[in-house]
Amino acid sequence: MLTRRKLALLTGAATTTALLLAALPGSALAQSKTVIDFWHGLPQPLGGQLEQVVKDFNDSQQAVQVNPSYKGAYPETMQAAIAAFRAGNAPHVVQMFEVGTATMMAAGPAIKPVYQLMQETGASFDADAYIPAVKGYYSSKDGKMMALPFNSSSTIMFYNKDAFQKAGLDPNKPPATWPEMIEAAKKLKASGSTCPMTTSWPVWAQFEQLGAIHNTPFASQSNGFGGLNAELKIDAPLFVKHVQTLIDMQKEGLFKYGGRDNKPDALFPSGECAMIHGSSGLRSRTSKEANFAWGAAPLPYWPEFAKDGPKNSIIGGAAFWVMTSPKRTPAEYKAVSEFFSYLARPEVDAKWHMDTGYVPVTMKGFELAKAQGYYEKNPGADVPATQLTRTPTTENSMGLRLGNLPEIRNIIQEELEKAFQGQQDARQALDSAVKRGNAVLRNFERANKG
């Protein structure tokens, strides 16, 4: 007969045995964590820093194991994720660059929106904790967050303080407007600079950001947030004047076109160009490579097109998207929500920001970095976050939601290059870019209309 005493002894023995088994490597209990597959597109060294964040999460708790996997650059990662979904074995989480947002939004059942994930799992999550310009980029038209922002950047200006000093310019007073930029470039050239100014990411910096800070649409339908029937608006007077200014500056030796995307990055830390408009992420490279004094400043603006001052800039970078799969379980979605809740912590956000140079994506992360003295020790490191938060977002400064945006960027760059080669003026370049870009948008609309 099984007495209470014997039952107690057996129960105690079973508990002890379970604890011992759990401690053994390779045991069934040690392997009972919910496993999450996470695909990302960050190469080294940033990829290693991202995987360290994942390791920190894994070490912080016992229930979830996130397995990170580098799948190539962002475009390759996106294609791999799409192929995996079609095969029925998509990863739980995929990192997607910001220009792929419209494609992910149109993916329908392939994704589970973050707001829905957090509601269903009962996770603690405050979407309003995110910087408005960051939240807006990854939210639906009605303000519901679709993806989790993580590695975000913006476009700012870097300038060579030594070159400014040589040119008789105040090294602590960078140009704030485009007329001031032109005058500074003239003085830099007169002092011997062969490249007073260049730009990295020509379309992001000189079109997408230009529209945002001047509260001027890059495209209709709230830059695509309002629907798939958006049309490009980059033939407006602001863009025509701006592009013609760059063409004229190039002819006068005040501006150098250094190539597409981030190819021109090296021109600034090498000392060749005295000013560059580029990703805030260029700070890390400049800190390591530049052998001159340098500073960071907000992007300049055209006073006649921003009479009440410049608006907030928009973000670049990437966010984390939750993908669906036929065999995905509630426990797996719960595990993903716990991972996301960890990433949203201010201390995690601030550390990533300070370690990598990406901007903090939450206000509390920004405030924590400030409280820890990061901006005092690193002057100008707060410029991108300040520029992102200086005004409330408008429908023109919330971001872009355009299908096949990478292809549209290439079209604009092609037309710019023809203009810089003297084959067409600004008006002709932009008219052609609009016509070709709208054809891309209509193809995307047809392919994704419900």
Side-chain angles (χ1 to χ4, degrees):
M1 183 176 176
L2 188 62
T3 64
R4 288 184 181 179
R5 177 176 172 75
K6 287 180 179 177
L7 180 61
L9 287 169
L10 287 169
T11 303
T15 303
T16 303
T17 302
L19 290 171
L20 288 169
L21 284 170
L24 290 173
S27 70
L29 283 174
Q31 295 176 350
S32 64
K33 291 184 176 184
T34 303
V35 176
I36 298 302
D37 291 322
F38 167 45
W39 292 3
H40 71 86
L42 283 180
Q44 297 295 344
L46 288 170
Q49 291 173 292
L50 173 57
E51 292 183 5
Q52 181 60 51
V53 173
V54 174
K55 184 180 184 299
D56 291 343
F57 167 72
N58 288 338
D59 293 344
S60 73
Q61 43 73 54
Q62 298 299 318
V64 182
Q65 173 73 31
V66 178
N67 292 333
S69 180
Y70 174 62
K71 291 293 179 179
Y74 288 136
E76 287 76 28
T77 300
M78 180 166 70
Q79 293 304 319
I82 292 170
F85 171 76
R86 288 173 178 162
N89 56 3
H92 299 82
V93 180
V94 64
Q95 182 190 36
M96 191 62 57
F97 58 166
E98 91 282 7
V99 293
T101 301
T103 300
M104 295 301 285
M105 288 279 207
I111 65 160
K112 181 181 281 289
V114 163
Y115 80 88
Q116 185 180 333
L117 171 82
M118 297 313 214
Q119 286 176 357
E120 290 177 358
T121 59
S124 174
F125 183 72
D126 180 13
D128 292 331
Y130 287 82
I131 289 173
V134 174
K135 177 190 172 188
Y137 206 107
Y138 297 111
S139 293
S140 59
K141 178 71 172 175
D142 56 0
K144 293 178 178 177
M145 194 174 281
M146 303 296 287
L148 186 84
F150 186 68
N151 55 307
S152 292
S153 57
S154 195
T155 319
I156 62 172
M157 178 169 69
F158 295 92
Y159 66 101
N160 185 326
K161 288 188 173 185
D162 290 352
F164 267 50
Q165 192 109 36
K166 182 181 177 184
L169 295 162
D170 187 340
N172 296 311
K173 191 179 179 183
T177 68
W178 271 97
E180 290 175 6
M181 279 284 297
I182 296 167
E183 287 307 306
K186 288 178 179 177
K187 289 184 178 180
L188 286 162
K189 182 187 177 185
S191 69
S193 174
T194 57
C195 175
M197 182 222 163
T198 190
T199 185
S200 200
W201 298 104
V203 179
W204 185 38
Q206 306 304 328
F207 286 82
E208 297 168 26
Q209 298 287 9
L210 184 79
I213 66 176
H214 292 90
N215 199 22
T216 299
F218 180 92
S220 64
Q221 292 293 336
S222 303
N223 283 339
F225 277 76
L228 295 175
N229 59 334
E231 296 184 339
L232 296 183
K233 294 292 182 182
I234 56 172
D235 52 355
L238 167 66
F239 296 101
V240 175
K241 175 168 184 171
H242 188 67
V243 172
Q244 191 59 52
T245 296
L246 293 176
I247 294 170
D248 294 342
M249 287 179 70
Q250 183 193 237
K251 289 177 182 175
E252 296 170 28
L254 306 178
F255 169 77
K256 177 176 181 175
Y257 177 72
R260 301 184 183 187
D261 299 332
N262 65 342
K263 185 181 177 184
D265 276 0
L267 296 175
F268 181 71
S270 69
E272 181 175 344
C273 294
M275 297 184 286
I276 188 172
H277 296 175
S279 169
S280 54
L282 183 57
R283 180 183 187 86
S284 178
R285 179 175 182 177
T286 301
S287 298
K288 293 172 185 172
E289 298 179 9
N291 58 3
F292 52 84
W294 56 275
L299 291 174
Y301 65 96
W302 290 102
E304 65 264 45
F305 290 101
K307 293 183 179 175
D308 57 347
K311 302 298 182 187
N312 66 282
S313 60
I314 57 177
I315 63 166
F320 296 165
W321 293 79
V322 183
M323 299 200 72
T324 62
S325 183
K327 296 179 181 178
R328 198 128 297 163
T329 66
E332 291 172 66
Y333 286 123
K334 174 69 174 172
V336 171
S337 72
E338 291 175 13
F339 178 43
F340 280 12
S341 293
Y342 174 85
L343 296 175
R345 292 179 186 176
E347 63 271 23
V348 176
D349 181 30
K351 187 175 188 304
W352 171 257
H353 157 54
M354 293 185 287
D355 286 350
T356 65
Y358 280 109
V359 300
V361 292
T362 65
M363 287 305 300
K364 287 184 178 178
F366 179 42
E367 294 299 330
L368 183 57
K370 187 188 297 183
Q372 293 180 4
Y374 177 68
Y375 303 122
E376 288 181 13
K377 297 171 190 170
N378 299 276
D382 59 340
V383 167
T386 302
Q387 185 179 258
L388 281 167
T389 58
R390 65 187 171 193
T391 62
T393 56
T394 72
E395 66 175 4
N396 297 318
S397 68
M398 194 161 64
L400 282 79
R401 187 64 49 76
L402 300 173
N404 293 334
L405 185 54
E407 186 178 350
I408 292 171
R409 279 183 172 179
N410 282 337
I411 286 170
I412 296 172
Q413 287 175 146
E414 286 172 5
E415 297 299 338
L416 269 180
E417 287 164 357
K418 289 179 184 176
F420 288 139
Q421 291 162 8
Q423 299 177 30
Q424 56 188 355
D425 61 19
R427 166 59 67 187
Q428 292 168 323
L430 296 178
D431 283 348
S432 181
V434 167
K435 182 179 179 181
R436 294 175 62 197
N438 282 342
V440 172
L441 290 173
R442 297 292 71 77
N443 288 337
F444 185 82
E445 181 183 17
R446 282 190 294 272
N448 293 282
K449 226 166 186 179

